[in-house]
Amino acid sequence: MSSILIIDDDSEILNSLRIFLKRHYDRVEINQNPEYIPSLLEKFDFNAILLDMNFSKGRNDCEEGLNWLKKILHINPDAVVLMMTAYGDIEMAVKAIKLGATDFITKPWENQKLLASLSAAIKLDRTKKE
């Protein structure tokens, strides 16, 4: 069984991802509010987390997502987190990876690349758990 958590402030993105990924994974949880991340991590064991990097209107510095990445990894150091943003650049991707992200996905995403990234992330998660 594979389960994915997606956190993004845009409901259209969440619904698009849920519809697309539900065909490939057993559980796809979505939430617009990153404040729910700690309780969701307590409640479910996710193989991968897709985390947006900006949640507040008008912000595109990606700091919110990086702060949530740190909090997720504090709660579960083995969590497999893929960062998502429409405002990303190489420097931001490197920063996210250095902080512990597994991968960096730009919006709009390519479905096959997203599936490949998630597949690799889930394999990594299963290896960590073994």
Side-chain angles (χ1 to χ4, degrees):
M1 182 161 167
S2 52
S3 101
I4 296 169
L5 172 62
I6 307 166
I7 306 290
D8 196 299
D9 61 318
D10 186 326
S11 62
E12 290 179 12
I13 285 175
L14 286 175
N15 289 322
S16 298
L17 284 168
R18 183 180 59 206
I19 290 166
F20 173 61
L21 295 174
K22 199 72 175 135
R23 291 182 271 157
H24 303 277
Y25 301 102
D26 301 304
R27 176 193 267 321
V28 179
E29 290 286 326
I30 61 172
N31 203 297
Q32 284 184 272
N33 187 343
E35 297 292 329
Y36 287 106
I37 292 172
S39 62
L40 288 166
L41 293 179
E42 283 180 25
K43 195 173 184 179
F44 301 107
D45 181 26
F46 296 104
N47 297 105
I49 301 167
L50 274 173
L51 178 65
D52 190 21
M53 294 193 75
N54 297 296
F55 294 96
S56 301
K57 294 273 185 242
R59 284 199 65 178
N60 60 6
D61 61 6
C62 299
E63 287 303 317
E64 290 173 305
L66 295 175
N67 287 331
W68 278 107
L69 171 64
K70 291 177 201 170
K71 289 177 187 176
I72 290 167
L73 294 174
H74 179 76
I75 294 167
N76 178 2
D78 291 328
V80 176
V81 183
L82 296 88
M83 306 302 289
M84 280 190 315
T85 186
Y87 304 100
D89 57 18
I90 299 296
E91 183 180 325
M92 190 55 58
V94 169
K95 189 173 183 179
I97 300 297
K98 282 183 177 178
L99 288 173
T102 301
D103 204 347
F104 190 85
I105 295 163
T106 55
K107 299 179 204 171
W109 61 88
E110 294 175 32
N111 286 344
Q112 292 312 311
K113 183 184 180 321
L114 176 63
L115 283 177
S117 293
L118 280 169
S119 177
I122 288 171
K123 284 178 187 166
L124 175 62
D125 177 67
R126 289 188 173 139
T127 300
K128 285 181 175 187
K129 286 176 178 163
E130 288 175 4

